[in-house]
């Protein structure tokens, strides 16, 4: 599979502060790729360098195709109407609005509203529509569902999947680990300006361990145990309680979540 985006040795400094320390990764054509990182990890800077919104001090960024960008914080004039914004962006891009895309995103339903009157979810849909004007090959989404309710988030996820089904490449930045796990083919986790992990969700789980939690309830209460070896821990704990003649009334196990794995990597646990 060809690369839609190739980042090689990317470096960025702000004065004496080094934000990106020579990062390398690729985004394959047609995949949904998430760039993750805690506050100050360099994620936003890396995105801005890829988007062409920020200069960088070393390395190379190659984008193979036309790019559309939905920024995390974008704003339009308070009194502009959604279709006016669409027509304006279409004129800038020297193209005609895609009626099917606008219908799928529900933009026509917002035609009578002014931008200032739109809800957060409606603004996100409009921003995505503006990013898709010109039929880009690559779509960059920075926190696309931040501040949305469950229904609006689900609807936007459907649109992202539809974009992938059309063969588009999606570069996604998100703090919502459930969103990342649901949508993404591969992820990269930034830590202190470097790539701390690059791969699939399954590969991340294998890298940090399963991180099971075993909860055992007895007449004395409930105790919890962290483990990467579920079968061994269950056998040992049940044998221990049996030897002490303590009756077990309930056993429950929880598997480590993507969020827990992300925290382990982002904080330097691996």
């Amino acid at each position: 599979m060809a690369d839609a985006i190739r980042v090689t040795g990317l470096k960025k400094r702000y004065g004496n502060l080094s934000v990106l320390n020579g990062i390398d990764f690729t985004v394959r054509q047609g995949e949904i790729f998430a760039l993750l990182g805690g506050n100050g990890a360099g994620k936003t800077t890396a995105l801005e360098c890829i988007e062409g919104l920020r200069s960088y001090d070393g390395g190379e960024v190659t984008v193979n195709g036309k790019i559309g960008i939905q920024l995390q914080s974008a704003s339009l004039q308070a009194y502009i109407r959604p279709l006016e914004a669409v027509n304006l962006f279409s004129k800038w891009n020297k193209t005609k609005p895609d009626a099917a895309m606008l219908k799928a995103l529900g933009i026509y339903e917002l035609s009578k509203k002014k931008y200032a009157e739109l809800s957060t979810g409606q603004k996100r849909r409009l921003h995505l529509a503006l990013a898709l004007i010109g039929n880009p090959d690559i779509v960059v989404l920075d926190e696309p569902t931040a501040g949305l309710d469950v229904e609006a988030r689900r609807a936007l996820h459907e649109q992202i999947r539809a974009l992938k089904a059309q063969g588009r490449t999606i570069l996604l930045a998100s703090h919502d680990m459930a969103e990342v796990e649901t949508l993404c083919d591969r992820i990269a986790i930034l830590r202190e300006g470097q790539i701390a992990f690059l791969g699939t969700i399954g590969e991340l789980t294998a890298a940090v361990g399963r991180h099971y939690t075993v909860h055992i309830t007895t007449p004395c209460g409930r105790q919890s145990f962290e483990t990467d070896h579920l079968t061994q821990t269950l056998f040992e704990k049940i044998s221990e309680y049996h030897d002490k003649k303590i009756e077990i009334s309930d056993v429950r196990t929880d598997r480590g979540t993507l969020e827990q794995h992300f925290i382990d990597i982002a904080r330097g646990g691996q």
Side-chain angles (χ1 to χ4, degrees):
M1 188 181 297
D3 295 333
I5 299 171
R6 186 181 305 110
V7 176
T8 307
L10 185 62
K11 297 180 181 180
K12 177 63 182 179
R13 299 182 63 88
Y14 296 109
N16 295 325
L17 177 63
S18 181
V19 179
L20 297 176
N21 301 310
I23 64 171
D24 301 272
F25 67 91
T26 60
V27 181
R28 300 164 185 159
Q29 288 184 1
E31 77 171 340
I32 301 178
F33 184 97
L35 188 59
L36 311 175
N39 292 332
K43 175 191 61 180
T44 298
T45 297
L47 280 180
E48 290 174 345
C49 291
I50 293 169
E51 294 162 346
L53 299 178
R54 190 172 298 278
S55 63
Y56 44 91
D57 302 311
E60 185 176 358
V61 176
T62 304
V63 177
N64 296 314
K66 188 174 182 179
I67 190 169
I69 304 168
Q70 182 199 36
L71 297 175
Q72 179 181 355
S73 56
S75 183
L76 297 168
Q77 294 90 343
Y79 296 103
I80 195 170
R81 300 183 189 276
L83 287 179
E84 292 175 337
V86 167
N87 289 330
L88 180 61
F89 274 61
S90 297
K91 187 173 182 179
W92 284 342
N93 283 271
K94 299 180 181 179
T95 187
K96 293 183 179 180
D98 183 338
M101 178 270 289
L102 296 177
K103 181 178 180 181
L105 288 172
I107 303 303
Y108 290 118
E109 302 167 9
L110 310 176
S111 60
K112 296 182 179 180
K113 289 189 174 183
K114 299 173 183 177
Y115 182 77
E117 298 171 340
L118 301 180
S119 68
T120 300
Q122 290 169 339
K123 288 179 179 178
R124 293 284 183 185
R125 281 157 47 198
L126 176 58
H127 296 162
L128 179 55
L130 297 178
L132 294 177
I133 289 174
N135 195 29
D137 306 293
I138 302 163
V139 183
V140 180
L141 306 175
D142 193 355
E143 301 290 347
T145 59
L148 301 190
D149 60 28
V150 174
E151 286 300 320
R153 186 180 298 112
R154 184 181 296 115
L156 196 50
H157 285 178
E158 290 176 0
Q159 294 302 323
I160 293 172
R161 292 189 185 96
L163 291 174
K164 179 182 177 179
Q166 295 167 10
R168 302 185 204 241
T169 303
I170 312 295
L171 175 56
L172 171 72
S174 177
H175 282 97
D176 186 338
M177 293 300 106
E179 175 173 86
V180 170
E181 190 165 16
T182 298
L183 293 175
C184 295
D185 299 298
R186 291 189 306 135
I187 64 174
I189 299 177
L190 279 169
R191 183 178 71 227
E192 297 178 352
Q194 297 180 324
I195 298 289
F197 174 82
L198 176 63
T200 66
I201 303 298
E203 289 168 343
L204 174 60
T205 300
V208 300
R210 308 298 281 186
H211 289 331
Y212 290 98
T213 303
V214 177
H215 307 280
I216 298 179
T217 303
T218 71
C220 300
R222 189 175 79 166
Q223 288 186 294
S224 299
F225 309 93
E226 299 289 334
T227 181
D228 288 337
H229 308 285
L230 180 61
T231 302
Q232 179 181 338
T233 299
L234 282 172
F235 178 79
E236 291 175 352
K237 293 302 177 183
I238 290 174
S239 297
E240 179 183 331
Y241 279 87
H242 179 267
D243 292 342
K244 293 179 179 179
K245 297 184 176 1
I246 299 175
E247 181 180 352
I248 296 175
S249 57
D250 185 62
V251 176
R252 184 166 59 85
T253 63
D254 294 328
R255 177 184 170 186
T257 64
L258 176 60
E259 184 171 8
Q260 290 169 331
H261 299 334
F262 166 73
I263 290 171
D264 282 342
I265 295 287
R267 290 182 178 175
Q270 293 290 323

